[in-house]
Amino acid sequence: MQGKRQANFELLRIVAMLMIIALHYLNKSDLILLYTEEHSAVNYGAHLAEAFCLVAVNCYVLLSGYFLVESVWKPGRVVSLAAQILFYSILIPVVLICTGMIPAGELSVYDWLNFVLPVETEHYWFATAYLILYVLSPLLAAGVKALDKKTLQVIIGILLLFFSVWKSIVPAALATDRYGYDYGWFICLFLIAAYLRLYGCPGLEKKRNAVLLYVCMSLSIFLLSAATGFLAERVPSLEYYMNMPATYNHVLCLLGSVGLFMAFKDMDFREGKAAEMIRRLAPYTFGVYLFHEHILIRYRWLQWLGVEKVRGSWLFLPHMIVCVLLVYAAGTAVDFVRARIFQGGGELIRKKKAGS
C-alpha cells in the first residue's frame, strides 16, 4: 500500500534478526564444535540449524539495497544511525556499572574508547559496515541508474569473482577475504539488490523456485562443511576450508540469501492486524542487534539464560527458540524506549529552532 512499508519485506527484516540472534546463540555459547572435534548427532544438528540461518546478514543488506536504490538519501539518517549506535554503546556500560553488575574498575581506558568511538573501533562490525554503506548509497544508486543492464551485470560479476567466487573455490586463506564482515561485501550486495529491483530475476519470480534455492543452498553449506571436515581428519591442510561455506560471502550463502529474499519479495501478504503488527515491530530490529551484541552483553546474555545447561543435548533446540524470542522481545522493548527518547529530543530541538 502506498505510503506504508511493505509487510512482506518487514517480515523478512524480523526473520533475519531472529536468525542473527540464533547464530549468536549457537556460536558464542560453544554449542557448535568443529567437525574434526565432535561427531555427535547434536553437533551435526547445531551445524544444520546454523546453515539455515547464515543467510540472515546478507538478506538484511539486500533489503537495504533494494530500497535505497530508489529512495531519497537523507543526511539526517546518518546522524540518526550514529546516534542510535552511540546510545547503546555508551548507555549499556553506564547501566551495568550503576546496577552493580560490572565493577567500574573492570573497564579500561581502551574499553571506554570502544564505547565512545564504536564505529571507528568496529565495536559492532555490522553497524560500521552498514553506516559506510548508507553514506555511499546515493553514489551507488546514481551509478547503477547511469549504467545499462549489461554493464551492471559485468561489474557485479567482477566483484563477485573478487569477493566470493575465488574464496569459495580456493582451499587456502586469501589476504583480501574478510568473510563478508566488511563494507566491501555490503557494496556488492547493494548492487545485487539494486539489480533485482531494476531488472528482476525471472527464474526466481516463482516463490517455489526461490524457496527451493534457499533450502538447497542451506543444505549444501551443511553437507560441504561436513564433508570437508571428514576429509580434514585425513588431510589436515583442508581444515581451513572446512569453515569457509559458513561465511557470508561464500557463493552458497549468497545464493541462499537471494533465494530467501526473492521468496519474501513475492509473498502475498494480506492487509490486516498481522501486517500492522509487523510494521510496528520491524523498525526496532537494528536496536535489537545493538542491544544484544554490545561487547559487555554479547556473551553474558548466554550465561544469564543458562545455555550451558543444554550444551550437548537436543534440548538446545527448544531452549534456543525460547532464548531467541526473549532476546528479541527485550531488545525491541529497549529500542522502543530509545525511539521515544529520540522523538522527544527531536521535538524539543524543533521547538527551540522555531522559537529562535
Side-chain angles (χ1 to χ4, degrees):
M1 294 182 67
Q2 191 173 5
K4 288 186 177 182
R5 289 174 176 263
Q6 298 179 49
N8 54 330
F9 285 120
E10 296 304 284
L11 179 59
L12 176 57
R13 197 182 307 278
I14 293 171
V15 169
M17 186 52 62
L18 292 170
M19 287 179 168
I20 288 170
I21 300 171
L23 286 174
H24 294 159
Y25 176 96
L26 292 167
N27 287 283
K28 289 181 168 60
S29 62
D30 293 330
L31 275 167
I32 286 184
L33 299 175
L34 294 175
Y35 288 107
T36 52
E37 296 176 354
E38 178 66 52
H39 295 287
S40 68
V42 173
N43 190 46
Y44 278 86
H47 276 281
L48 182 60
E50 178 195 42
F52 274 87
C53 293
L54 283 168
V55 300
V57 171
N58 288 349
C59 284
Y60 208 95
V61 181
L62 287 171
L63 279 167
S64 297
Y66 188 83
F67 288 103
L68 286 175
V69 72
E70 293 286 5
S71 65
V72 177
W73 188 79
K74 299 176 181 179
R77 177 60 177 157
V78 178
V79 176
S80 176
L81 282 170
Q84 186 177 6
I85 296 167
L86 277 170
F87 176 87
Y88 284 95
S89 183
I90 295 175
L91 188 63
I92 285 177
V94 171
V95 171
L96 291 178
I97 290 171
C98 290
T99 56
M101 299 182 74
I102 291 180
E106 185 178 309
L107 301 177
S108 66
V109 174
Y110 180 75
D111 290 325
W112 283 104
L113 183 65
N114 266 302
F115 304 149
V116 176
L117 299 174
V119 175
E120 292 80 359
T121 59
E122 285 196 325
H123 180 149
Y124 303 100
W125 75 264
F126 178 87
T128 298
Y130 184 80
L131 189 62
I132 294 173
L133 176 68
Y134 187 80
V135 171
L136 295 175
S137 63
L139 296 175
L140 296 171
V144 166
K145 293 176 182 178
L147 299 173
D148 60 80
K149 182 179 179 180
K150 188 171 183 179
T151 303
L152 181 57
Q153 288 175 335
V154 171
I155 291 173
I156 292 174
I158 293 172
L159 288 175
L160 286 178
L161 277 173
F162 179 79
F163 282 107
S164 183
V165 176
W166 291 125
K167 68 84 48 83
S168 302
I169 298 173
V170 179
L174 301 178
T176 56
D177 182 23
R178 293 199 62 191
Y179 315 130
Y181 292 88
D182 64 337
Y183 65 87
W185 176 240
F186 281 19
I187 289 173
C188 192
L189 290 172
F190 181 101
L191 296 178
I192 292 171
Y195 181 90
L196 293 173
R197 177 71 182 264
L198 297 176
Y199 304 109
C201 185
L204 297 177
E205 294 300 332
K206 289 185 178 180
K207 187 166 62 175
R208 181 182 62 182
N209 293 345
V211 172
L212 186 62
L213 178 63
Y214 162 63
V215 172
C216 288
M217 292 304 100
S218 298
L219 288 174
S220 296
I221 291 170
F222 169 72
L223 293 173
L224 180 58
S225 296
T228 309
F230 177 79
L231 293 174
E233 292 184 319
R234 292 152 183 79
V235 185
S237 60
L238 288 175
E239 189 167 321
Y240 169 81
Y241 188 74
M242 176 178 63
N243 297 316
M244 285 305 97
T247 54
Y248 299 141
N249 60 343
H250 194 278
V251 167
L252 296 178
C253 186
L254 171 63
L255 292 174
S257 306
V258 172
L260 187 62
F261 177 83
M262 293 298 290
F264 275 85
K265 172 183 173 293
D266 296 319
M267 180 182 292
D268 184 17
F269 211 99
R270 294 182 180 180
E271 287 300 319
K273 291 183 179 180
E276 286 302 318
M277 180 61 69
I278 288 169
R279 290 192 186 97
R280 290 182 181 181
L281 290 176
Y284 305 115
T285 52
F286 188 53
V288 173
Y289 166 76
L290 296 173
F291 170 70
H292 88 280
E293 259 299 278
H294 191 283
I295 196 168
L296 295 179
I297 291 183
R298 64 179 58 159
Y299 294 101
R300 281 184 168 88
W301 69 265
L302 296 162
Q303 297 171 2
W304 295 338
L305 295 175
V307 177
E308 70 281 353
K309 296 177 182 178
V310 298
R311 193 175 291 128
S313 165
W314 282 109
L315 288 174
F316 89 86
L317 276 174
H319 188 265
M320 178 178 70
I321 293 171
V322 172
C323 288
V324 167
L325 293 175
L326 284 174
V327 170
Y328 184 87
T332 299
V334 173
D335 203 57
F336 175 84
V337 174
R338 190 274 317 162
R340 294 301 171 271
I341 293 172
F342 278 27
Q343 184 180 7
E347 291 176 357
L348 186 61
I349 292 172
R350 284 191 292 271
K351 287 180 181 178
K352 286 186 175 181
K353 285 183 177 180
S356 60

